[in-house]
Amino acid sequence: MANILWSALNMLVLLGIIYILFRAAGLVRRHMGWGAAVLFGLALLLMCSRRPTSPAGPSKNLISRAPKSGPVSNASAGHTIDLGGSNKLYLRAEYDSAGGTLTPNGLYAGVSGFMLGHDWEPALGLLQQQGTRLHYWTVLNHHWLLLGTSVFSNGREFEGLMKPDQPLR
């Protein structure tokens, strides 16, 4: 519920700023003409456009001791966790399965949903065999943003069991 309220606050602040900027553009147009209003609008667009700090690439492997080269795994498992609002955490575990035991090779996390005012950043994780299931533990950094600026950050831990896609023998 807090996630939805924070997103609504972000939306209200953003709409308020857009309203003020439209009024300012109208004032510039009325006193200085259409040319100045167009230049004012273009200047605002240039100042407001942001480039991502890092290019989007493949997900980071949350297991630090995973092998750097070679085949990643011969089996995998997936799990979904509800984060609140429309946000969901998707976990994908990769492992080698042989003789009823598994060797974890990778744990990947991704977050999807309407995230106005929120940023979820996977930090670290752990994966191990527990009976016929996989025990996972991961930490996500949750950044509360107001118009793209971080206001508060906290870490959240997620722990549980996931069923392998292929039964362990």
Side-chain angles (χ1 to χ4, degrees), residues 103-141:
T103 306
N105 290 329
L107 180 63
Y108 301 91
V111 179
S112 71
F114 180 69
M115 292 191 270
L116 180 64
H118 303 278
D119 183 30
W120 296 90
E121 176 188 6
L124 55 109
L126 178 71
L127 182 67
Q128 62 188 13
Q129 181 178 2
Q130 188 172 8
T132 59
R133 295 183 177 214
L134 298 166
H135 178 260
Y136 66 87
W137 174 81
T138 187
V139 175
L140 268 66
N141 292 325

Side-chain angles (χ1 to χ4, degrees), residues 65-90:
R65 61 180 171 80
K68 302 290 183 212
S69 62
V72 177
S73 64
N74 65 4
S76 66
H79 190 65
T80 304
I81 301 169
D82 187 25
L83 296 174
S86 66
N87 298 334
K88 293 192 183 316
L89 168 65
Y90 296 95

